[in-house]
Amino acid sequence: MHFKTVSRSKYGYDVSQVNAFIELARMQYSDPKLTLVSSKQVRHNEFDLVKGGYQIAEVDQGIDRLEDVFAKRELARQRVQLGEHIMHERLERFVTSLAGRLSLKKGQRFSHRTWLLRGYSRKEVDAFCDLVDRHLESGESMSVADVRTTVFKAKRGGYAENEVDAFIDRVVEVLQLERALA
């Protein structure tokens, strides 16, 4: 993967950190039996912001593709090792955990920040939750890319970002599992 850099006056991802991570991922990518980083580690990996670094959106797209490949491989291995039944049970557990959150009243699904602090817009997060609920209930189309590119405005008294981010991670896991079991 080759990424463009931003101008020296703008911030982007640290080139050396990205290159080191991509080299590690490249080794794993070329040898499917090798496990140097998990898909979760790929998803949660962070790079420092520096002037003149790599373009953020471009790197994020590449990292998302890597996560998808690694998750697909991991789930295929787990399907063989654990069996179809265990994988379906895991999916049911994950869906149940999401459903528990989705069953809460709008505006009350996640902890709130105080009015002095900003969090994710409750209205926007609740609208996203409605999309997730429709997917789980009726199979309405939802892709991992749709979930990853969801952005919420910052609002005073909004939902706690860490809780919403964990929820989004679980939604990604459910979608990846659904795809692996299809």
Side-chain angles (χ1 to χ4, degrees):
M1 289 182 196
H2 297 284
F3 303 109
K4 295 176 187 167
T5 55
V6 296
S7 70
R8 293 180 187 255
S9 63
K10 294 188 177 182
Y11 284 93
Y13 286 141
D14 184 288
V15 170
S16 61
Q17 290 175 355
V18 172
N19 288 344
F21 183 78
I22 293 300
E23 184 56 35
L24 186 67
R26 187 174 280 134
M27 287 188 287
Q28 180 170 323
Y29 184 85
S30 63
D31 183 357
K33 296 177 185 168
L34 195 60
T35 303
L36 301 172
V37 291
S38 70
S39 60
K40 254 187 192 160
Q41 289 170 314
V42 172
R43 183 180 322 130
H44 293 289
N45 191 53
E46 294 182 3
F47 305 109
D48 292 335
L49 294 176
V50 296
K51 288 189 176 185
Y54 282 138
Q55 288 183 355
I56 293 170
E58 201 173 281
V59 173
D60 285 347
Q61 288 174 350
I63 295 296
D64 289 347
R65 287 191 303 271
L66 279 174
E67 180 195 349
D68 289 340
V69 169
F70 293 166
K72 185 176 181 179
R73 287 180 183 175
E74 290 167 12
L75 292 169
R77 277 194 301 267
Q78 291 171 10
R79 194 173 186 177
V80 170
Q81 292 170 347
L82 303 174
E84 191 89 15
H85 181 70
I86 299 295
M87 297 298 285
H88 280 283
E89 283 181 359
R90 177 186 296 167
L91 178 58
E92 286 177 33
R93 274 196 323 275
F94 287 179
V95 168
T96 300
S97 72
L98 293 176
R101 182 73 69 174
L102 295 170
S103 69
L104 299 173
K105 290 171 59 174
K106 289 183 180 188
Q108 302 298 319
R109 289 177 168 149
F110 302 93
S111 298
H112 299 176
R113 294 285 180 219
T114 65
W115 283 106
L116 297 175
L117 299 175
R118 293 182 180 269
Y120 291 143
S121 164
R122 287 188 257 170
K123 184 177 181 178
E124 291 177 359
V125 172
D126 284 336
F128 172 77
C129 286
D130 290 343
L131 292 174
V132 172
D133 194 35
R134 284 196 302 271
H135 170 77
L136 296 176
E137 291 296 320
S138 67
E140 187 173 307
S141 179
M142 176 175 262
S143 74
V144 173
D146 293 337
V147 175
R148 286 185 180 134
T149 57
T150 299
V151 178
F152 307 112
K153 290 179 186 164
K155 296 278 188 176
R156 291 191 187 278
Y159 282 139
E161 293 95 336
N162 61 328
E163 290 180 19
V164 175
D165 290 345
F167 178 82
I168 289 171
D169 283 347
R170 181 52 48 99
V171 172
V172 167
E173 289 174 324
V174 164
L175 294 172
Q176 289 170 333
L177 255 171
E178 286 175 345
R179 191 170 39 193
L181 293 171

